Amino acid sequence: MLFLCATPIGNLSDISERVITTLREADLIACEDTRNSRKLFTHFAINTPFTSYHEYNKFEKAEELIGKMEAGAHIALVTDAGTPAISDPGEVLVRRCHEQGIPVTSLPGPCALITALSACGLPARRFCFEGFLPADKKERREILEALSSETRTIILYEAPHHLVKTLEALYTVLGDRRLSLCRELTKKHEEICLTSIKEALDAFETKEPRGEYVLVIEGKSLSEIKKKETEAFRSLSLKEHMALYEAQGLDQKECMKRVAKDLGVSKRDIYSALLSKEEP
Ligand code: SAM
């Protein structure tokens, strides 16, 4: 069986008792960076053998670990910090276990995106998580353009040395939006700052980003989308607007109803405008 063990994202006291016990009792622990995990194991007196499972060996190593689990081993997976498989190599091993019919269980615990979302000060009911934006400029632009009409709160991970470039790209494509910069969560220098993309860019002109960041960005407001749509409909003549729905095979009455709704006027206004050939 595979046990996904969430480990602290900063504060060591955030580890759960169940994770400590599971790590102690597993046959083997697969960890992202053995130097990193060794400190955690020493701190909690975990003496289980461990092996590396990281970005650069994730495909071959997943097969080796699958072989061991098929032979009966219980393996625990930890990554450098937080919940395995969330923007880290864990995802590959989890998928392979499902494909091979090996049971997987997740021991919940710290996760940077959820920690940031709960404290960010932006709407937390509906959100989307994008992880790290791709390094490739074209791919990054495509993703940002798709995100520009996203109405849910958007969460990104970013390394400090890429932060300013990412904020610039966000400002170019999304414009200024409210932004919660969540830095060094659960650590001594934790900062959760509700600001805007532009204000954050201005602030980084005089100081360098340091530490680990989660960016939480306000989604596009529904009222703004509606306003833009209404503006687009208003730029059509009544004839063109009716034709839009006629082309969908709708009858006159239904077309009038939809045009009236798009323009925020009554059906009677559209009917009279069509008779008088004036715009409503
Ligand atoms: N699996 C992890 C999780 O559950 O959050 C995330 C792994 S991902 C490789 C590492 C990224 O998570 C960092 O670059 C940063 O964006 C974010 N992160 C991790 N720890 C953080 C912390 N203490 N404060 C802010 N962001 C953090």
Side-chain angles (χ1 to χ4, degrees), residues 9 81-83 86-88 111-112 132 157-158 184-185 212-214:
I9 56 170
T83 301
I86 307 299
S87 287
D88 62 38
C111 180
F132 293 95
Y157 281 167
E158 195 47 285
E184 295 285 89
L185 293 165
E212 298 195 274
Y213 285 88
V214 180

Side-chain angles (χ1 to χ4, degrees), residues 6-10 81-84 86-88 109-120 127 129 132 155-158 182-187 190 192 212-216:
T7 54
I9 56 170
T83 301
I86 307 299
S87 287
D88 62 38
C111 180
L113 87 99
I114 297 299
T115 310
L117 181 67
S118 65
C120 71
F127 66 93
F129 173 58
F132 293 95
I155 306 176
L156 301 177
Y157 281 167
E158 195 47 285
C182 304
R183 171 179 174 268
E184 295 285 89
L185 293 165
T186 78
K187 300 185 195 174
E190 173 178 286
I192 299 165
E212 298 195 274
Y213 285 88
V214 180
L215 281 68
V216 189

Side-chain angles (χ1 to χ4, degrees), residues 46-77:
I46 294 161
N47 298 313
T48 310
F50 55 86
T51 184
S52 78
Y53 171 76
H54 52 70
E55 190 55 35
Y56 304 102
N57 71 359
K58 63 184 177 187
F59 295 107
E60 316 87 78
K61 196 61 186 248
E63 297 319 307
E64 191 186 313
L65 297 172
I66 291 280
K68 290 188 194 300
M69 285 184 276
E70 280 175 337
H74 286 318
I75 295 187
L77 176 68

Side-chain angles (χ1 to χ4, degrees), residues 130-136 139-141 143-144 147 154-158 162 165-167 169-170 215 217:
E130 279 291 325
F132 293 95
L133 289 175
D136 178 79
E139 237 182 285
R140 162 185 288 242
R141 173 110 199 165
I143 291 187
L144 285 177
L147 283 177
I154 303 161
I155 306 176
L156 301 177
Y157 281 167
E158 195 47 285
H162 289 140
K165 281 246 159 318
T166 298
L167 288 173
L170 286 167
L215 281 68
I217 305 139

